[in-house]
Amino acid sequence: MKQTRRRLGDLLIESGLLTEEQLQITLQDKPAEQKLGDALLHRGYITEQQLIEVLEFQLGIPHISLYRYPFDTSLFNLISKETAKRNLVIPLKKDGDKLYVAMADPMDFFTIDDLRLSTGFHIETAIATKDDIIRAINKFYDIDEDFEELFGQEYAMKPVKEEKATDADSPIVRLVNQLLSNAGANKASDIHIDPQETKVVVRYRIDGMLRIERVLPKHLQNVLTARLKIMANLDITENRVPQDGRFKVNLDFHPVDLRVSTIPTVYGEKIVLRLLDMGSTLNDLNKLGFHPLHLQRFTSMISRPNGIVLITGPTGSGKSSTLYAALNKLNSEEVNIVTIEDPVEYQIEGINQIQVNQTVGMTFAAGLRSILRQDPNIIMVGEIRDRETAEVAIRASLTGHLVLSTLHTNDALTSVSRLMDMGVEPFLVASSLSGVISQRLVRKVCRDCAEAHSPTKRELDIFAKRGLEISTVWRGRGCASCNMTGYRGRLAVHEVLAVNEELRKAIMNEETVTKLHEIAVKNKTIFLLDDGLLKVKQGLTTTEEILRVASIE
């Protein structure tokens, strides 16, 4: 008897996880070969956990959490690591002639048939999230690789032969590949390799927070350093001066660019690897979490033919992502876009990107002067660090170019005084500045374990002080998806200062920051703290996260 199955979209709408409008937009925009579930995940409308719960109901296949699952590691010989990763499948247990496996897509009948033929077992499936499976594969498939050879004394602290650090079967190469693979699975943005007196600590930065991944014995330090330097094309014989390099790898079948920086410390070289995911969706302005008013103001600023637009915030606040998203929106064959950066983070097709090189005199200011002779429409300067760069950038914006750049200040208004402190004339700042965007990154509440709570008295006071009301706040309980932290992923909070005629006059008259603040309030500017509190109200983040990045005035 044929069983009638209800459509996934209808089930998601019925369960209140999706609106009809979101479903229609996704169905229209998704490529023909992409599954609806994947397209909805890509757009961020639902989480993988929510999708799995609906699929469980739709297909009648149980869903399973692999967090702390008691795996039978002897079964891992039945399915190779390569097959497990490529098809997102992991063996769970064996019962007679049945092999139970967890799959990200239990409707992948080709893989089920392959497994049946290669193992000789009847295959029973369960659903697990893609991230869960990748994490389990990385953790348990390498459990037998305790790198016995590495912990022997042959790897004691002595000069490393290059063959040992490049041979594909060498244990150090496998160890480095495992560290990179785990970082990719955990969505880490940086890997820190910290040499200490008696050990080497490997830490991952996940959602802006560092946490220890593993501790390695001290005698692995030299060979680990050598392997990473060879990958990044650095000089392995030089360990007294800092070095920078980069390389590309494929992590779980998608390309990732890694930037490598080494610095000598008292216990040896510290290495930091920055992971730049080439397949990242951060090239779309609509996905950066802008408030509708902010998005409209920012789009209007970058749509002008000239003027200077500044993005400010501390290191690691997502300024580059916002700049690249803006360039992506402006990128077309009708305009000549030239950037000068230090370093070039993401390479974008159709944009001419220049790398700063201090040793040959290619500074921001020198590069910027040369760019002006290249008939550009839009110029992006990685960072304004000194008076010379600021003046050339401002003059470029006054001569009919749109200039995008970054500045290290705490909020949008202090950017004006920072430019004046650098020695730029107030009339130049006033006539060239189109707007300033200040931004920070905060962690998002994990959607899979979010729980509603009543706000504390302090939270009610903070909201009341900003003229806002709140009845419910959301906090993550902690689950397998978020590694028990209660947070998963990050979003940006912004402050967008659009420079209007009144503000121009005040800047020209060198008014105080207080006066500029009053004009900004009159101009309906949503400040950093307010934008953050509005996102707490939407249940996207917590008050603690907002207070970590924005101060209460």
Side-chain angles (χ1 to χ4, degrees), residues 20 35 83 94 108 156 160 184 186 207 296 299-300 329 335 467 475 495 503 507:
E20 180 67 47
K35 291 177 186 152
T83 305
K94 179 169 82 171
D108 183 354
V160 179
N186 283 300
D207 291 341
Q296 179 236 314
T299 311
S300 139
K329 187 175 173 65
V335 291
R475 286 192 174 82
E495 176 174 304
L503 210 48
I507 294 169

Side-chain angles (χ1 to χ4, degrees), residues 96-109:
D97 65 341
K98 288 181 183 170
L99 177 68
Y100 289 83
V101 297
M103 298 179 75
D105 179 11
M107 303 304 288
D108 183 354
F109 297 116

Side-chain angles (χ1 to χ4, degrees), residues 232-243:
N233 229 346
L234 302 177
D235 182 355
I236 64 168
T237 59
E238 180 56 81
N239 55 16
R240 296 158 303 173
V241 294
Q243 295 186 65

Side-chain angles (χ1 to χ4, degrees), residues 102-123:
M103 298 179 75
D105 179 11
M107 303 304 288
D108 183 354
F109 297 116
F110 291 112
T111 299
I112 293 170
D113 277 353
D114 285 349
L115 291 176
R116 189 169 49 76
L117 291 168
S118 63
T119 63
F121 286 96
H122 179 71
I123 304 295

Side-chain angles (χ1 to χ4, degrees), residues 128-267:
T129 67
K130 182 180 162 186
D131 286 351
D132 233 2
I133 292 173
I134 291 172
R135 266 201 296 263
I137 291 169
N138 285 333
K139 186 174 175 187
F140 292 100
Y141 266 89
D142 295 321
I143 209 158
D144 54 326
E145 292 201 34
D146 53 2
F147 305 105
E148 282 291 327
E149 308 113 288
L150 280 181
F151 301 126
Q153 283 315 300
E154 59 164 311
Y155 277 84
M157 300 288 277
K158 56 187 175 191
V160 179
K161 291 190 182 122
E162 196 162 315
E163 311 85 76
K164 199 183 277 184
T166 52
D167 178 11
D169 290 329
S170 122
I172 190 65
V173 172
R174 295 204 308 271
L175 173 64
V176 168
N177 291 347
Q178 193 181 318
L179 289 175
L180 295 177
S181 197
N182 283 352
N186 283 300
K187 309 242 182 322
S189 60
D190 301 82
I191 305 171
H192 287 240
I193 293 161
D194 299 330
Q196 294 179 6
E197 192 173 5
T198 57
K199 60 192 178 204
V200 178
V201 176
V202 179
R203 294 187 292 170
Y204 289 168
R205 189 180 290 282
I206 300 169
D207 291 341
M209 299 290 173
L210 277 169
R211 71 150 202 258
I212 292 177
E213 163 68 10
R214 63 168 70 184
V215 177
L216 299 169
K218 182 72 174 171
H219 65 256
L220 288 190
Q221 186 179 317
N222 277 359
V223 71
L224 181 60
T225 304
R227 171 62 189 157
L228 289 167
K229 281 182 158 186
I230 287 165
M231 289 174 87
N233 229 346
L234 302 177
D235 182 355
I236 64 168
T237 59
E238 180 56 81
N239 55 16
R240 296 158 303 173
V241 294
Q243 295 186 65
D244 289 301
R246 65 194 305 162
F247 63 93
K248 274 196 178 91
V249 289
N250 268 341
L251 294 183
D252 300 323
F253 307 102
H254 70 273
V256 174
D257 210 358
L258 285 107
R259 229 169 58 206
V260 183
S261 168
T262 75
I263 195 161
T265 70
V266 286
Y267 295 123

Side-chain angles (χ1 to χ4, degrees), residues 286-486:
N286 299 314
K287 291 182 182 162
L288 295 181
F290 274 106
H291 184 282
L293 176 68
H294 283 165
L295 184 61
Q296 179 236 314
R297 285 184 176 179
F298 184 43
T299 311
S300 139
M301 281 174 208
I302 61 172
S303 306
R304 292 178 192 170
N306 58 1
I308 187 162
V309 178
L310 293 174
I311 299 178
T312 77
T315 306
S317 58
K319 298 190 296 295
S320 298
S321 295
T322 306
L323 271 180
Y324 282 118
L327 288 179
N328 223 44
K329 187 175 173 65
L330 298 167
N331 191 6
S332 71
E333 63 175 76
E334 290 90 38
V335 291
N336 175 20
I337 302 178
V338 190
T339 77
I340 178 155
E341 305 167 60
D342 183 21
V344 173
E345 288 193 13
Y346 294 96
Q347 284 146 16
I348 307 176
E349 203 175 326
I351 291 179
N352 309 290
Q353 294 170 280
I354 302 167
Q355 168 80 50
V356 164
N357 188 344
Q358 303 280 0
T359 51
V360 295
M362 173 61 98
T363 59
F364 277 119
L368 197 44
R369 283 199 188 88
S370 308
I371 289 170
L372 291 172
R373 295 193 285 275
Q374 289 275 318
D375 180 31
N377 299 88
I378 297 161
I379 300 167
M380 192 267 262
V381 185
E383 192 187 330
I384 293 178
R385 294 178 183 167
D386 51 46
R387 177 183 175 170
E388 197 183 3
T389 312
E391 284 193 336
V392 181
I394 283 173
R395 290 192 190 280
S397 73
L398 291 171
T399 51
H401 303 91
L402 175 66
V403 180
L404 304 174
S405 189
T406 69
L407 204 61
H408 285 287
T409 59
N410 289 332
D411 59 21
L413 286 166
T414 47
S415 308
V416 176
S417 44
R418 173 63 57 85
L419 288 171
M420 291 183 194
D421 290 345
M422 281 180 181
V424 181
E425 294 292 343
F427 76 91
L428 285 176
V429 177
S431 46
S432 63
L433 199 60
S434 296
V436 187
I437 294 90
S438 177
Q439 86 172 48
R440 300 286 186 282
L441 288 178
V442 292
R443 291 183 293 169
K444 285 199 287 193
V445 172
C446 172
R447 282 162 68 178
D448 292 331
C449 62
E451 290 178 333
H453 292 266
S454 296
T456 62
K457 185 176 183 314
R458 181 160 184 257
E459 282 175 319
L460 289 168
D461 290 347
I462 291 166
F463 274 82
K465 210 178 272 181
R466 307 299 295 186
L468 297 165
E469 285 178 11
I470 188 155
S471 54
T472 312
V473 291
W474 293 83
R475 286 192 174 82
R477 183 180 65 251
C479 65
S481 300
C482 61
N483 267 326
M484 306 313 282
T485 58

